Amino acid sequence: MIGIRRIALPGRVVADLEELTARIPPGDTKEARRLWRVSRAVRRSLRAGLDVMAAGRGYCMYCGDGLGSTVDHFEPIARNPGRAFDWLNHVLACEYCNSHHKRDLFPVDEDGDSLLIDPTAEDPLEHLFLVLSIGTYRALTEKGEQTIKVCGLNRAQLARGRETAVNQVSALVMGWQAARELGDDGKRRAMVWTLLDQPHADVLHAMLRQAGMPGARAVFRADDELIDLLRAPELAEDLQLSGGAV
């Protein structure tokens, strides 16, 4: 899971969302669901905005692996129907995460505050630590623990995918450096675009962060060249120029 920068919607879409919200009687889950079901044009507009925000080719904002196929209500309609058309309450999810894991689950603390990480409002890496060697998350906070559990972030197929992604990121970073040394700007840009387009963007984010932490040599098995490249300001600049929020 990575942090996602939420964009502003066009004024006409905002107006539609406000009008639909005003039509939901307080606490009326049934009407909220009905309006959501029939408001196809609004759903398409929300999906378009989320596609722009999502990593790569529109990957799920929870697992980062599957392509986002559904607009998910972060706080479920069943819990808060008044947020059915709240732009700040929508994330892009794959069908597997949405239907088999998160569903209508929404754990809260004793004050009623969410115990799920909202990737569009906070940095997931403040609550989660990705163990790169095995591709699984370790919780740093209670919010991290609940998010791992509810979203199934440590399911076996995701862990295997992240292990593979570590090798892919390493190879692409080395390829980026080789192209840079040769002055091949086209190939350098291609390496960067591939880094940003592949699934499991959380692996790239975690590698960049952990390369700058104490103990980096143990994490990266004393691969000093890779550590130096991950720390290189030139790589960070290329990623940012290509649209990567890393």
Side-chain angles (χ1 to χ4, degrees):
M1 183 179 282
I2 65 171
I4 303 289
R5 185 182 300 113
R6 191 173 288 278
I7 66 171
L9 293 174
R12 60 173 180 79
V13 179
V14 173
D16 288 342
L17 294 174
E18 291 175 347
E19 189 271 334
L20 286 163
T21 298
R23 290 169 58 186
I24 301 173
D28 194 333
T29 300
K30 183 177 180 180
E31 179 62 7
R33 290 191 187 280
R34 187 192 71 80
L35 287 171
W36 178 257
R37 186 173 60 254
V38 302
S39 302
R40 295 183 180 86
V42 167
R43 294 205 313 269
R44 284 195 296 270
S45 296
L46 292 172
R47 171 62 189 268
L50 291 170
D51 278 337
V52 171
M53 292 163 50
R57 285 166 284 170
Y59 291 108
C60 175
M61 293 178 180
Y62 295 128
C63 72
D65 181 29
L67 292 176
S69 56
T70 61
V71 177
D72 180 54
H73 292 89
F74 180 70
E75 183 175 10
I77 291 177
R79 173 181 167 84
N80 191 346
R83 297 195 71 193
F85 295 95
D86 180 357
W87 170 230
L88 301 181
N89 194 42
H90 297 115
V91 297
L92 189 65
C94 67
E95 186 65 31
Y96 197 88
C97 281
N98 195 33
S99 299
H100 293 83
H101 285 278
K102 182 175 178 291
R103 305 187 300 275
D104 280 342
L105 299 175
F106 195 73
V108 297
D109 62 19
E110 58 186 12
D111 295 320
D113 295 325
S114 172
L115 281 175
L116 289 183
I117 299 168
D118 179 352
T120 72
E122 55 196 317
D123 182 0
L125 294 184
E126 292 182 359
H127 304 281
L128 300 168
F129 182 85
L130 182 56
V131 183
L132 294 169
S133 60
I134 56 176
T136 60
Y137 278 108
R138 177 166 58 84
L140 301 177
T141 65
E142 175 64 15
K143 182 174 279 193
E145 184 71 35
Q146 291 295 325
T147 300
I148 291 171
K149 178 181 177 181
V150 170
C151 297
L153 295 185
N154 281 341
R155 54 190 189 261
Q157 63 268 40
L158 293 181
R160 290 196 300 270
R162 294 186 194 113
E163 286 186 82
T164 299
V166 170
N167 296 327
Q168 291 173 334
V169 169
S170 299
L172 288 165
V173 168
M174 299 300 288
W176 168 84
Q177 174 63 3
R180 184 167 168 266
E181 289 177 346
L182 291 171
D184 189 338
D185 291 342
K187 187 173 182 180
R188 193 187 86 242
R189 287 192 295 271
M191 293 295 105
V192 171
W193 275 111
T194 306
L195 276 168
L196 295 173
D197 190 54
Q198 67 171 357
H200 296 298
D202 51 349
V203 169
L204 173 60
H205 284 236
M207 289 177 70
L208 291 168
R209 178 171 292 200
Q210 292 181 35
M213 296 172 63
R217 297 192 79 247
V219 171
F220 294 99
R221 300 173 185 174
D223 189 340
D224 292 333
E225 182 180 8
L226 178 60
I227 293 170
D228 288 343
L229 290 176
L230 289 168
R231 292 174 174 174
E234 294 85 359
L235 177 60
E237 182 179 359
D238 274 2
L239 289 168
Q240 289 170 355
L241 287 174
S242 297
V246 296

